[in-house]
Amino acid sequence: MRLFLQIVTGILLLAYPLAVYFGLNYLPTGTIAMVLCCILITRLLIQKQQVKAMILPIIVGIGLTAASFIAKRHDWLLYYPVVINLSMLMLFAYSLKLGPCMIERLARLKEPELPDEAIPYLIKVTKIWCGLFVFNGSVALYTAHYASLEIWTLYNGLIAYLLIGSLLGGEWLYRTIWLNKS
C-alpha cells in the first residue's frame, strides 16, 4: 500500500501545474488547494523515513496550499515550483560545499567504487544542475508573478520538465558516448 501511495502521490505532484490549471479553471473556489494540500500531507506521511531532504519542500507546499485555501489567495499555488527549484538548488549546492557532491552520491548508488578521476566531472555536473535550478526557479517565479495561468502552466508543466529531461538525457549521452571512449 505504501509503494502504491508513493507512486500515486509522485505522479500527482509531477502533474501539479496541470492540476492547478484545471482546478482554478474548472473546480469550485478552493477545491484544488484543498486537494493538493491533502496529496502533500499524504506524501509527507509516507515520505518521512525516506528522502529527508524532500521533507522541507513538502512542508512548505502544505503551508502554501493550506494558506491559499484559508486566505482564498489562489495565486499562492503558483509558487510551489519556485519552492521545489529553490530546495533542489540548496540541496545540490550544499553537497558541493560539504561533499561528496549530489551527482557523485547518486553515481555511487550504481557504482560504489568510482575512480578518483570521475570526481571533478561529477562536481561539474552538479554545478550544471545548480544552474538549471537557478534558471528554472527564476522563470517559475517570473511566471507566477507576471504571466498568465496558461503561460505558467506551459512553463512549469511542460518546458521545465523538458529542460530537466534534456539535461538528464544529454549528460547520459555525453557520458555514454564520449567519456566511455577514453
Side-chain angles (χ1 to χ4, degrees), residues 16 20 24 29 32-33 64-65 67-69 71-82 140-141 143-147 149 152:
Y16 182 94
V20 168
L24 293 180
T29 303
I32 194 61
L64 276 173
T65 54
S68 172
F69 177 77
K72 298 183 182 357
R73 291 287 312 262
H74 304 297
D75 56 320
W76 292 355
L77 295 174
L78 305 180
Y79 291 93
Y80 192 58
V82 178
L141 181 62
T143 60
H145 258 316
Y146 302 110
L149 181 60
W152 177 87

Side-chain angles (χ1 to χ4, degrees), residues 9-36:
T9 57
I11 290 169
L12 291 172
L13 290 176
L14 282 173
Y16 182 94
L18 296 174
V20 168
Y21 176 81
F22 286 106
L24 293 180
N25 281 314
Y26 301 109
L27 295 176
T29 303
T31 303
I32 194 61
M34 196 49 125
V35 168
L36 291 170

Side-chain angles (χ1 to χ4, degrees), residues 1 94 119 127 131 160 176:
M1 182 64 161
Y94 187 71
I119 305 306
K127 289 177 181 177
T176 302

Side-chain angles (χ1 to χ4, degrees), residues 37-55:
C37 188
C38 290
I39 291 168
L40 286 163
I41 289 170
T42 302
R43 186 68 178 188
L44 179 65
L45 293 173
I46 61 175
Q47 183 91 16
K48 66 181 177 186
Q49 294 176 347
Q50 293 177 349
V51 184
K52 291 181 182 176
M54 290 310 294
I55 290 176

Side-chain angles (χ1 to χ4, degrees), residues 92 101-111 114 129:
F92 276 58
C101 69
M102 186 56 66
I103 300 300
E104 179 182 346
R105 293 176 194 190
L106 294 172
R108 287 191 187 279
L109 293 175
K110 185 177 179 186
E111 192 176 324
L114 285 172
W129 275 102

